[in-house]
């Protein structure tokens, strides 16, 4: 019996990159949103421009689970090169929709799925003479067919087409026509709707639909950033591009037309972070956007910013590594590289947003933290959050909010003879006072050193002043714990000594996995870490649980390594749950991995008893 579900399924489109399918697939996802049903789309694309396989997955879930689930209920198979893989991924009793213009051998199909063939190429060849039109409109034709098969309101698709081609009105009618060609064919030749379908609902509410990179860029604007220096690299490029769009809208003087921002595409990543540090030293709020390879190139300047104590914000949109790795796949694999970036003893502040809402929020607060702490701040996005559209709550901003510029000595204070040492800690929190260039013609010493110095920035190679300075930097890092976003606790439905720590884009899948485990009688307390350094609540959570699963998307358990190094945790207590194939971690993977670990624990009598 074919799958019978309403507003709860996963559909995947298998296409060829460069075929024009992306806009059609997004049109499909948005039409379901317009019917009031939550969706979570994810795009898996190659690193070349054209010709390689690409997939677009849409999870439909009225219950609100927006992480990757795992498995495919309906495959729209438009790529012969990936046919076997695509057909093999369909859940038993699922659906296969394909272009039947050419016959497919029975050996290439499955007996346990429902097969829906439609001669898309033949239809388009009859309707259109231009080869490119045939390809582009074929995508709209299959969206029209799916609207009939899944009972999607055609009026919503028509409205979306009109919005998409606003300003290019001559394209609206042909796209609507292609939509109805596919829809009418399916209604006349297929069983419509299927047992798996969409039913209008009202579960979207006030939520918005936006990419994490765009959200972070808008957060930078609201956070007061006026300088962006960057070098293009997937998957961070769209962040800098979005910042430019927002600046053209919000940072141009309406009276004079003067731009109140500067965006520089540097010759490489090292140059870009150097420009950010120079702008920040001069008092601007500046940032760069990059990914793992860019972080590698920035190491020396990151050490300078840390040791000279200059604010800077780095948006790291993580991808698969090492080296070039998988440029268009997602991972959380830059954690250690950023936490201890550069040579010598360094420790940096990291922020871990889970979705576009926090990408906006942390994108803004990062600049306050950079100024307050006078140090680089890393906003650790990843490709899944950054380049995919997500449903999230609307962004919020208090117009009364003022920027926190930290400890800045004024000309009046200097004129009054107030003692000023650039590296003099007068409050015991490890944070010193600074001045902006030109604050005072003679007394405003804004001299900054990236070499060993005493508290008044005098150069010295003596051991005691150097050690004094390094200890102060540790005090500052300790102070940072009270300024960064704290972790969020979600208690299990029943008291438990089992816990799970997770961060960033793993959050949605982790919550769903915990719910699946609870149905099996396994209860977890969840702690979502939102920043490094870790606050005391992390240590408290570890103390309260005998076994803690650390869920992350990298091979080497990098967050677990930080927890061991910074919290003094027992290695046997922290169980790594690792997913690093470049695809977003799924709820099913987490549930299965934790269940497997629990069986291993139960089978090992020498370990401490685990209470479920």
């Amino acid at each position: 019996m074919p799958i019978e579900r309403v507003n709860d399924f996963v559909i995947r489109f298998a296409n060829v990159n460069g075929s024009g399918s992306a806009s059609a697939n997004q049109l499909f996802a948005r039409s379901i949103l317009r019917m009031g049903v939550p969706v979570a789309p994810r795009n898996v694309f190659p690193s070349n421009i054209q010709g390689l396989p690409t997939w677009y997955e849409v999870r439909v879930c009225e219950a609100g689970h927006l992480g990757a689930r795992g498995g495919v209920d309906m495959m729209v198979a438009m790529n012969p090169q990936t046919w076997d893989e695509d057909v093999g991924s369909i859940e038993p009793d699922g659906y296969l929709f394909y272009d039947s213009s050419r016959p497919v051998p029975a050996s290439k199909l499955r007996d346990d799925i429902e097969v829906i063939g439609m001669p898309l190429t033949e239809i388009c060849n009859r309707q259109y003479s231009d080869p490119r039109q045939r390809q582009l409109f074929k995508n709209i034709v299959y969206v029209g067919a799916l609207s009939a098969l899944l009972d999607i309101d055609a009026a919503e698709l028509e409205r979306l087409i009109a919005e998409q081609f606003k300003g290019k009105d001559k394209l609206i009618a042909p796209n609507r026509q292609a939509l109805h060609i596919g829809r009418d064919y399916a209604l006349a030749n297929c069983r419509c709707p299927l047992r798996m379908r969409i039913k209008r609902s009202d579960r979207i509410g006030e939520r918005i639909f936006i990419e994490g990179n765009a959200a972070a860029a808008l957060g930078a604007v609201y956070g007061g950033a006026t300088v962006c220096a960057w070098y293009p690299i997937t998957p961070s490029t769209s962040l800098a591009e979005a910042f430019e769009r927002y600046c053209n809208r919000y940072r141009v003087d309406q009276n004079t037309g003067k731009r109140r921002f500067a965006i520089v595409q540097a010759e490489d990543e090292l140059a870009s972070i150097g420009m950010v540090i120079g702008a920040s030293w001069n008092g601007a709020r500046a940032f760069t956007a990059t990914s793992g390879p860019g972080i590698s190139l920035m190491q020396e300047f990151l050490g300078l910013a840390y040791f000279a104590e200059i604010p800077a914000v780095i948006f790291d949109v993580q991808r698969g590594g090492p080296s070039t790795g998988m440029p268009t796949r997602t991972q959380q694999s830059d954690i250690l590289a950023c936490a201890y970036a550069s040579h010598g003893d360094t420790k940096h502040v990291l922020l871990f947003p889970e979705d576009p809402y926090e990408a906006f929020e942390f994108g803004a607060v990062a600049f306050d933290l950079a100024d307050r702490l006078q140090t680089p701040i890393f906003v650790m996005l990843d490709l899944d959050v950054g380049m995919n559209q997500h449903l999230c709550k609307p962004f919020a901003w208090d117009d009364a909010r003022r920027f926190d510029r930290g400890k800045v000595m004024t000309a009046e204070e200097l004129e009054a003879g107030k003692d000023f040492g650039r590296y003099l800690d007068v409050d015991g929190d490890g944070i010193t006072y600074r001045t902006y260039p030109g604050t005072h013609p003679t007394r405003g010493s804004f001299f900054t050193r990236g070499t060993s110095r005493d508290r008044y920035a005098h150069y010295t190679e003596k051991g005691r002043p150097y050690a004094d300075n390094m200890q102060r930097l540790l005090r500052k890092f300790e102070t940072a714990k009270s300024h960064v976003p704290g972790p969020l606790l979600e208690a299990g439905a029943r008291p438990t000594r089992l816990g799970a720590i997770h961060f960033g884009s793993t959050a949605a899948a982790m919550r769903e996995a915990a719910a699946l485990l609870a149905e099996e009688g396994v209860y977890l307390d969840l702690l979502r870490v939102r920043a490094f350094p870790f606050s005391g609540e992390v240590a408290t959570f570890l103390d309260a649980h005998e076994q803690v699963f650390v869920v992350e998307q990298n091979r080497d358990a990098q967050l677990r390594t930080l927890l061991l190094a910074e919290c003094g945790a027992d290695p046997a207590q922290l169980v790594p749950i690792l997913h690093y194939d470049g695809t977003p971690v799924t709820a099913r993977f987490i549930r299965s991995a934790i269940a497997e670990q629990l069986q291993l624990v139960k089978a090992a009598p020498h370990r401490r008893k685990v209470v479920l």
Side-chain angles (χ1 to χ4, degrees), residues 81-158:
Q81 283 72 38
T82 60
W83 176 274
D84 292 341
E85 176 186 349
D86 296 331
V87 173
S89 67
I90 302 171
E91 298 277 285
D93 300 321
Y95 299 86
L96 168 66
F97 178 89
Y98 77 105
D99 182 354
S100 61
S101 299
R102 292 184 178 180
V104 175
S107 61
K108 292 288 187 178
L109 299 173
R110 286 169 49 186
D111 295 333
D112 62 342
I113 59 176
E114 181 168 331
V115 179
I116 306 164
M118 181 172 170
L120 295 167
T121 300
E122 289 182 7
I123 292 170
C124 291
N125 286 348
R126 288 195 302 267
Q127 187 69 32
Y128 309 104
S129 58
D130 179 80
R132 184 58 176 166
Q133 280 191 333
R134 289 172 175 175
Q135 177 58 57
L136 293 176
F137 283 122
K138 183 167 78 170
N139 301 318
I140 303 299
V141 170
Y142 73 61
V143 169
L146 292 172
S147 74
L149 292 167
L150 300 175
D151 208 14
I152 298 172
D153 190 345
E156 297 292 0
L157 284 161
E158 289 181 354

Side-chain angles (χ1 to χ4, degrees), residues 204-444:
I204 303 300
E206 297 297 318
R207 286 182 289 180
I208 62 175
F209 195 53
I210 189 173
E211 290 183 354
N213 280 353
L218 187 60
V221 172
Y222 273 78
T226 57
V227 176
C228 170
W230 66 295
Y231 183 79
I233 182 172
T234 302
S236 70
T237 295
S238 62
L239 197 159
E241 293 172 340
F243 180 74
E244 183 172 18
R245 290 196 304 272
Y246 290 132
C247 283
N248 283 326
R249 183 173 179 180
Y250 298 116
R251 292 240 191 281
V252 176
D253 189 286
Q254 294 182 353
N255 297 320
T256 65
K258 184 177 180 181
R259 289 157 49 115
R260 295 178 172 175
F261 63 95
I263 299 176
V264 181
Q265 182 176 322
E267 61 267 33
D268 55 33
E269 288 89 350
L270 183 61
S272 69
I273 190 64
M275 294 174 186
V276 167
I277 292 169
S280 298
W281 178 77
N282 274 281
R285 289 193 154 186
F287 74 92
T288 190
T290 190
S291 191
I295 296 294
S296 298
L297 290 171
M298 295 178 184
Q299 295 292 303
E300 185 174 358
F301 265 143
L302 289 170
L304 171 66
Y306 173 80
F307 198 54
E309 299 181 68
I310 300 171
V313 173
I314 302 96
F315 290 97
D316 179 12
V317 190
Q318 299 168 90
R319 68 189 209 183
S323 185
T324 303
M326 296 190 292
T328 59
R329 299 293 188 265
T330 193
Q331 279 190 7
Q332 298 171 312
S333 55
D334 297 346
I335 308 305
L336 292 176
C338 293
Y340 303 122
S342 197
H343 55 279
D345 293 324
T346 58
K347 288 188 178 183
H348 298 290
V349 174
L350 315 182
L351 306 181
F352 304 118
E354 71 159 332
D355 63 3
Y357 177 86
E358 285 192 344
F360 169 80
E361 181 183 16
F362 293 0
V365 78
F367 293 91
D368 279 351
L369 288 171
D371 275 351
R372 164 56 58 181
L373 299 170
Q374 300 175 32
T375 198
I377 305 293
F378 292 82
V379 183
M380 306 297 291
L381 296 158
D382 60 37
L383 185 146
D384 185 24
V385 170
M387 292 194 70
N388 287 315
Q389 294 173 310
H390 298 261
L391 269 179
C392 66
K393 59 185 178 180
F395 303 155
W397 188 261
D398 183 359
D399 287 334
R401 177 173 168 178
R402 295 293 177 265
F403 299 147
D404 181 358
R405 300 309 300 255
K407 297 180 179 180
V408 180
M409 192 79 75
T410 66
E412 291 75 19
E413 290 171 323
L414 290 167
E415 186 66 29
K418 188 168 183 179
D419 188 21
F420 174 69
R422 177 62 186 93
Y423 301 107
L424 176 65
D425 181 9
V426 297
D427 301 315
D429 59 3
I431 304 172
T432 65
Y433 277 86
R434 61 177 174 141
T435 60
Y436 298 133
T439 295
H440 192 284
T442 58
R443 299 177 182 173

Side-chain angles (χ1 to χ4, degrees), residues 494-512:
R494 295 183 184 178
T496 178
R497 297 302 301 278
L498 289 176
I501 290 178
H502 61 107
F503 67 105
S505 62
T506 62
M510 181 70 251
R511 285 191 288 266
E512 185 178 0

Side-chain angles (χ1 to χ4, degrees), residues 488-490 496-503 510 517 522-529 534 537-552 557 559-561 563-564 567-578 590 593-595 597-598 601 607-612:
L488 296 182
L489 173 67
E490 294 182 52
T496 178
R497 297 302 301 278
L498 289 176
I501 290 178
H502 61 107
F503 67 105
M510 181 70 251
L517 287 165
V522 178
Y523 298 95
L524 297 173
D525 292 331
L526 306 182
L527 188 73
R528 180 163 68 88
V529 172
F534 306 125
E537 295 140 295
V538 175
T540 299
F541 185 84
L542 293 175
D543 290 342
H545 297 87
E546 291 189 15
Q547 207 79 27
V548 176
F549 303 100
V550 185
V551 182
E552 47 189 315
L559 181 67
R560 180 178 180 270
T561 300
L563 290 167
L564 293 174
C567 298
D570 177 3
Q573 180 192 14
L574 300 183
V575 180
I577 303 295
L578 306 176
I590 297 173
I594 290 178
Q597 288 293 334
L598 288 174
V601 170
R607 291 194 178 185
R608 292 177 293 179
K609 182 180 178 182
V610 176
V611 180
L612 304 184

